[in-house]
């Protein structure tokens, strides 16, 4: 199997004398991403006494691509060996049944058992300490022969831009891997750079502010709300005062299931996308499979929809289930949702408070099928923008396409992309994309965050012209 982050494939001898954790994960799983943060803390604490091996076991077909996995390893700062288990050989051998799963092997090479799910940091920390004490006579502190993928990466003007927002005068880009927000005009002339390449969680003026893998963006009259995903907070960029302030979340990862809270008193769970209507800021809480609302007037954080269980159940907003919601768009009385892990398009009627599914059937029902909505299939859709009463535009992320849903005719069709990840402007007459993650619409101009190509793409709806936005420095 192919390995990343190492000079050579590891052997059993490399593992002896160390506490070994096999981390079974897949890169589109938000709960797996949360576990990566815990593992990094443990690696820093225990050094060469601990060996974490990431066993990437793809759920979606697109996640099997080694080059894409390489970019993901860089994006999330994974500094341990990773093996791409595309056929689930190791997953089957070790009895992995759910993401994320960690399998423990002691320094003598004995498999001890496994832990599933996130939020088990203290349990794992205690077990590592216990094992190191039991096996201190045979510990091996020889470093693993690492060769990190990020050491070969080349700098780009944008790095994994995730989401994008547009106003009448500005364009805001979550330059996610650079941990910053770029504000440009519609032609790409940079006006503000907020944040620095080094991740952090700091408020203040534009020169001091720090973000951590920011995603969702939305403008109000004076500034921009930001889903600061890696910090589990909502931040506000005041474009007049040139300051950044945390308005929701306390920086902790928490999975609250319901209630009303003072917005900065509790943690959040990877807020990923935003939509604003009057004083209600809707939040796609990817990590808890819910929709929340931050009230900009009362400064309260409110659970709005989703039981917190992962699924694709419709009906009453309290009982309905979502699966890592990652894109939001408002139109009329409807809130439209890109429900990524179910490869689904959902919507909530804001007055009747009911959820319905437009496309999608289940967590493992995905593909690339256009046509009638009841037959259509998507693959890990992340972006959504409503263009009119019957027109919904999608970033069908893992299919590397932009699609349009015509609700009047009950059909969906692809308009950009040939279904393969690529960078070229045209292949067989099609502009290529690589995991587009965000959309923003202004009049008839569609802006696309072409995430793995590190660029913004522009498309004029109703025409064939597709171009790359040149980002010009201040």
């Amino acid at each position: 199997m192919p390995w990343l982050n190492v000079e050579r494939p590891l052997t059993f001898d490399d593992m002896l004398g160390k506490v070994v954790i096999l981390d079974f994960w897949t890169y589109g799983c938000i709960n797996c991403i949360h576990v990566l943060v815990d593992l990094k803390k443990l690696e820093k604490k225990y050094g060469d006494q601990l060996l974490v091996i990431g066993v990437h076991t793809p759920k979606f077909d697109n996640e099997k691509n080694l080059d894409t996995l390489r970019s993901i390893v860089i994006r999330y700062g994974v500094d341990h060996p990773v093996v791409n288990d595309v056929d689930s050989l190791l997953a089957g051998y070790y009895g992995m049944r759910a993401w994320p799963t960690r399998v423990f092997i002691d320094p003598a090479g004995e498999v001890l058992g496994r832990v599933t799910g996130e939020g088990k940091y203290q349990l794992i920390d205690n077990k590592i300490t216990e094992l190191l004490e039991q096996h201190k006579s045979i510990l091996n502190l020889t470093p693993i022969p690492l060769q990190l993928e990020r050491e070969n990466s080349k700098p780009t003007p944008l790095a994994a831009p995730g989401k994008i927002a547009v106003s009448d005068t500005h364009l805001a880009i979550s330059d996610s891997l650079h941990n910053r927000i770029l504000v440009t005009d519609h032609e790409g002339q940079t006006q503000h750079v907020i944040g620095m390449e080094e991740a952090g969680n700091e408020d203040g003026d534009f020169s001091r502010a720090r973000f951590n893998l920011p995603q969702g963006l939305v403008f109000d009259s004076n500034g921009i709300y930001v889903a600061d995903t890696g910090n589990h907070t909502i931040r506000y960029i005041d474009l007049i005062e040139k300051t950044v302030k945390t308005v929701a979340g306390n920086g902790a990862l928490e999975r609250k299931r319901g209630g009303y809270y003072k917005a900065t008193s509790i943690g959040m769970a990877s807020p990923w996308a935003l939509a604003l209507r009057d004083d209600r800021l809707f939040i796609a809480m990817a990590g808890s499979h819910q929709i929340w609302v931050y009230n900009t007037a009362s400064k309260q954080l409110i659970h709005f929809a989703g039981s917190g269980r992962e699924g694709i159940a419709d009906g009453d907003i309290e009982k309905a289930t979502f699966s890592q919601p990652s894109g939001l768009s408002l139109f009329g009385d409807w809130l439209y949702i890109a429900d990524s892990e179910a490869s689904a398009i959902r919507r909530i009627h804001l007055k009747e408070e009911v959820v319905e599914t437009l496309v999608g059937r289940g967590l493992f029902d995905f593909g690339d099928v256009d046509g009638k909505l009841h037959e259509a299939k998507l693959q890990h859709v992340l972006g959504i923008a409503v263009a009119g009463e019957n027109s919904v535009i999608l970033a069908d992320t893992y299919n590397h396409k932009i699609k349009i849903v015509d609700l009047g005719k009950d059909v969906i069709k692809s308009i950009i992309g040939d279904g393969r990840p690529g960078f070229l402007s045209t292949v067989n007459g099609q502009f290529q994309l690589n995991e587009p993650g965000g959309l923003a619409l202004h009049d008839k101009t569609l802006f696309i965050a072409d995430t793995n190509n590190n660029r913004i793409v522009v498309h004029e709806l109703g025409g064939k012209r597709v171009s790359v936005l040149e980002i010009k420095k201040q």
Side-chain angles (χ1 to χ4, degrees):
M1 290 179 283
W3 287 77
L4 299 174
N5 275 347
V6 288
E7 294 178 357
R8 57 168 175 78
L10 300 188
T11 68
F12 188 68
D13 287 342
D14 292 318
M15 300 164 65
L16 287 175
K18 301 178 186 294
V19 174
V20 177
I21 298 177
L22 304 181
D23 175 37
F24 290 87
W25 67 299
T26 184
Y27 74 72
C29 162
I30 191 63
N31 309 101
C32 300
I33 303 306
H34 293 165
V35 165
L36 289 177
V37 176
D38 285 350
L39 292 174
K40 186 177 284 289
K41 289 166 59 178
L42 293 168
E43 289 173 298
K44 183 176 180 180
K45 179 176 181 178
Y46 291 105
D48 290 322
Q49 300 174 102
L50 172 66
L51 171 58
V52 176
I53 300 175
V55 184
H56 186 254
T57 52
K59 169 185 172 180
F60 293 99
D61 293 338
N62 181 68
E63 291 172 334
K64 297 177 180 180
N65 186 294
L66 185 64
D67 288 335
T68 304
L69 178 59
R70 182 177 286 108
S71 70
I72 295 296
V73 164
I74 296 170
R75 184 183 309 174
Y76 290 111
V78 179
D79 290 340
H80 52 247
V82 174
V83 61
N84 201 17
D85 188 18
V86 295
D87 295 317
S88 296
L89 299 177
L90 288 173
Y93 183 81
Y94 285 99
M96 174 265 185
R97 294 289 183 269
W99 297 276
T101 293
R102 279 128 294 158
V103 171
F104 283 76
I105 302 173
D106 72 18
E110 295 295 322
V111 179
L112 303 179
R114 59 182 178 263
V115 174
T116 59
E118 60 173 287
K120 308 292 179 63
Y121 178 85
Q122 197 58 55
L123 172 68
I124 294 171
D125 188 21
N126 292 343
K127 191 61 180 178
I128 293 171
T129 300
E130 175 188 324
L131 291 172
L132 291 174
E133 178 61 28
Q134 289 176 356
H135 298 275
K136 58 185 177 182
S137 63
I138 62 168
L139 293 182
N140 172 17
L141 301 184
T142 303
I144 294 299
L146 295 176
Q147 184 173 317
L148 300 181
E149 300 300 325
R150 59 180 165 82
E151 294 173 354
N152 297 319
S153 62
K154 298 178 181 179
T156 53
L158 295 176
K163 295 293 185 183
I164 192 167
V166 64
S167 70
D168 288 340
T169 55
H170 295 104
L171 195 68
I173 304 165
S174 280
D175 192 11
S176 300
L177 190 54
H178 284 151
N179 300 298
R180 64 185 185 177
I181 307 301
L182 263 61
V183 181
T184 76
D185 62 19
H186 291 187
E187 286 69 47
Q189 179 62 55
T190 299
Q191 298 172 341
H192 303 288
V193 179
I194 309 146
M196 300 288 286
E197 190 163 341
E198 182 179 349
N201 188 9
E202 188 171 350
D203 289 343
D205 61 39
F206 285 1
S207 64
R208 292 179 51 198
R210 298 291 184 272
F211 299 89
N212 186 357
L213 295 173
Q215 287 287 339
L217 303 164
V218 68
F219 282 94
D220 74 353
S221 58
N222 293 321
I224 309 165
Y225 287 98
V226 181
D228 194 6
T229 306
N231 283 324
H232 310 291
T233 57
I234 303 299
R235 317 284 292 280
Y236 182 71
I237 297 173
D238 190 317
L239 293 175
I240 298 174
E241 299 294 332
K242 294 182 172 56
T243 58
V244 176
K245 180 182 180 181
T246 301
V247 296
N250 61 15
L253 169 60
E254 292 185 35
R255 291 168 60 97
K256 299 286 183 179
R257 294 200 173 217
Y260 291 71
Y261 307 91
K262 179 182 177 183
T264 55
S265 69
I266 65 167
M268 304 177 79
S270 293
W272 204 276
L274 304 174
L276 182 63
R277 169 74 57 82
D278 299 325
D279 58 1
R280 302 170 81 192
L281 180 69
F282 293 90
I283 304 165
M285 203 77 79
S288 64
H289 313 297
Q290 293 175 316
I291 308 299
W292 283 64
V293 172
Y294 167 65
N295 189 297
T296 61
S298 69
K299 313 302 182 187
Q300 282 190 312
L301 192 61
I302 307 162
H303 161 251
F304 177 67
S307 68
R309 296 175 62 86
E310 189 172 18
I312 189 171
D314 289 342
D316 178 81
I317 57 172
E318 295 289 337
K319 298 178 181 179
T321 58
F322 297 93
S323 300
Q324 203 172 307
S326 301
L328 298 176
S329 186
L330 283 160
F331 190 86
D333 292 329
W334 293 99
L335 175 67
Y336 289 81
I337 302 159
D339 207 15
S340 64
E341 278 294 287
S343 299
I345 301 303
R346 321 283 298 282
R347 65 179 183 176
I348 302 173
H349 196 279
L350 299 179
K351 291 182 179 179
E352 297 178 4
E353 296 192 338
V354 293
V355 179
E356 65 179 48
T357 299
L358 299 175
V359 181
R361 289 185 286 276
L363 286 169
F364 293 90
D365 193 353
F366 56 86
D368 184 7
V369 179
D370 290 352
K372 289 294 184 180
L373 294 189
H374 70 277
E375 298 174 345
K377 290 186 179 182
L378 306 169
Q379 188 177 181
H380 199 80
V381 56
L382 290 179
I384 189 165
V386 182
E389 185 174 357
N390 289 317
S391 181
V392 183
I393 307 171
L394 313 176
D396 192 3
T397 305
Y398 282 5
N399 284 325
H400 317 289
K401 288 183 174 183
I402 304 302
K403 299 185 176 184
I404 288 186
V405 176
D406 186 328
L407 295 177
K409 296 180 179 179
D410 199 36
V411 297
I412 183 172
K413 67 176 182 179
S414 302
I415 59 170
I416 304 175
D418 64 357
R420 297 172 296 176
F423 184 79
L424 299 178
S425 295
T426 55
V427 174
N428 297 326
Q430 279 285 0
F431 193 99
Q432 288 190 300
L433 302 169
N434 192 338
E435 293 195 8
L439 302 175
L441 184 63
H442 182 263
D443 293 330
K444 295 294 183 178
T445 303
L446 180 68
F447 296 91
I448 304 163
D450 191 12
T451 303
N452 284 351
N453 280 330
N454 304 310
R455 64 187 182 182
I456 304 302
V457 170
V458 184
H459 172 58
E460 300 299 329
L461 293 180
K464 295 183 179 181
R465 181 174 176 269
V466 184
S467 61
V468 175
L469 184 70
E470 180 186 356
I471 304 297
K472 309 172 191 72
K473 295 183 179 180
Q474 282 178 290

